[in-house]
Amino acid sequence: MGFDAKPKYVTFDMNGTLIKFSINDTMREVLGDRLPAEVADDYLRICKAYRIDECTGAYQPFHQVVARSMERTSRKLGLEYREEDARAVYETIPTWGPYPGVTEALNRLAEEVPLVIITNSDTAHAERLAENLKAPFEVVISAEEMGVYKPRLGAFDYMLDKLGVTPDELVHVSASPMYDHRSAASSPSSSASRAPDA
C-alpha cells in the first residue's frame, strides 16, 4: 500500500491501546493489605511477565491467564493466593473505559475507513469493552474466537484471513511492542518480513 492509498481497514489492539488497561490498579485494590508495599512493584512486574508467558502456550480462557499468572507470582514471592482474588480482577475488566480523546478520534476515523479490533480479551469482555469505546467497529476479533493469543503469529494470520486482506491493505495500531508490533512485523505474511536480509 503506497502512502496515497487508503487502507481497507484500520485494525486496533484494544487493551492498553484504546482501553486504559488498569489491571495493576485493580490487583492492588483487590489484594489490598495482602500485597505488602515492599513487594508490590515486583509483584506487578512479575505478574505481567507471567501473563505474557501464559498467552504464548496452548490457548486457555483469559480468566485462567489472569488466575495462573497471579498464582505463579504469589508462589514466587511467598504470598497467599486466593482464587476469588483472580476472579475479582477478571470480573472488573469489562468496566474499564477508553483513554481520553479515543472515542472522538475513532468516530472521526470511522468516517473514512472501517475499524476492526483484534484483542486478547475473551469474546464477552471484548464485546463489552468495544461498547465502552462508543465507536463503530466493523469487526471485533477476540482471542477466544481465534483460539490463540497475540503475540502468537496465528492471531495475525487469523485476522488477515477473516478480513480477506493482505498486510499491505491495512494499518494496525497498537501501543504494545510485546504483544503486537514484533509479531505483526515478523509474521510470514507481513510485507516487512519479506524484505531481503541486510
Side-chain angles (χ1 to χ4, degrees), residues 138-161:
E138 295 288 317
V139 181
V140 176
I141 303 170
S142 70
E144 181 180 358
E145 175 186 342
M146 296 183 290
V148 66
Y149 288 100
K150 299 177 292 174
R152 301 286 304 273
L153 298 180
F156 295 95
D157 291 340
Y158 183 97
M159 176 185 70
L160 293 170
D161 289 345

Side-chain angles (χ1 to χ4, degrees), residues 19-84:
I19 293 286
K20 185 176 182 195
F21 192 66
S22 304
I23 199 162
N24 286 349
D25 293 340
T26 301
M27 285 192 288
R28 284 182 192 272
E29 185 178 317
V30 167
L31 296 174
D33 294 340
R34 289 179 291 111
L35 181 61
E38 62 272 16
V39 300
D41 289 344
D42 284 341
Y43 181 95
L44 298 173
R45 177 182 54 78
I46 293 167
C47 200
K48 178 180 180 179
Y50 281 143
R51 268 196 318 278
I52 294 168
D53 188 58
E54 291 291 329
C55 286
T56 58
Y59 176 79
Q60 58 186 318
F62 194 67
H63 68 88
Q64 290 180 4
V65 171
V66 172
R68 288 278 299 132
S69 60
M70 290 179 69
E71 181 181 19
R72 291 170 71 186
T73 303
S74 297
R75 189 168 58 241
K76 184 170 186 65
L77 295 178
L79 301 175
E80 178 188 6
Y81 168 73
R82 296 180 185 174
E83 195 172 307
E84 60 267 25

